[in-house]
Amino acid sequence: MKYRSRTEITVLILEAANGGATKTKIMYKSFLSYAQLKEYFTMLIENGSLEYEAGLLNIYRTTEKGLRLLKIYNQIEEIIPQVNVN
């Protein structure tokens, strides 16, 4: 797997949590270890991009702020597509 920036990993987490998902599901969809996921969760919850819903399922959801970040990221990707260097 290629090197991923912190921004790319953050986007993968927010996309996986969009609509609600468990910690395990997000971890697998974003290809992260549990230790990495904990680090990113702390950052995303503190800055208000991700929220935790305690309860029976313990769900994480992307907030409105997180959705705005995803929208801006996708707009930037359209303008400046990533170049694959082999």
Side-chain angles (χ1 to χ4, degrees):
M1 182 172 279
K2 71 176 184 81
Y3 173 80
R4 300 178 295 168
S5 70
R6 289 184 64 84
T7 305
E8 289 173 308
I9 294 170
T10 298
V11 166
L12 286 172
I13 292 170
L14 293 176
E15 286 175 343
N18 194 5
T22 62
K23 191 180 288 188
T24 303
K25 203 165 257 203
I26 296 168
M27 187 174 77
Y28 285 119
K29 284 185 175 183
S30 55
F31 306 102
L32 294 172
S33 69
Y34 181 71
Q36 290 170 313
L37 188 71
K38 280 179 28 178
E39 178 185 335
Y40 280 95
F41 269 17
T42 300
M43 183 260 306
L44 290 169
I45 290 170
E46 284 177 1
N47 79 16
S49 297
L50 192 68
E51 66 184 1
Y52 174 68
E53 290 183 13
L56 186 61
L57 297 177
N58 298 323
I59 298 291
Y60 290 84
R61 291 188 192 280
T62 304
T63 64
E64 286 298 318
K65 184 177 180 179
L67 292 173
R68 283 195 312 271
L69 175 68
L70 287 175
K71 183 179 177 182
I72 291 167
Y73 180 83
N74 289 327
Q75 289 172 342
I76 291 171
E77 280 287 303
E78 287 177 17
I79 296 168
I80 309 168
Q82 290 186 358
V83 179
N84 291 330
V85 179
N86 292 332

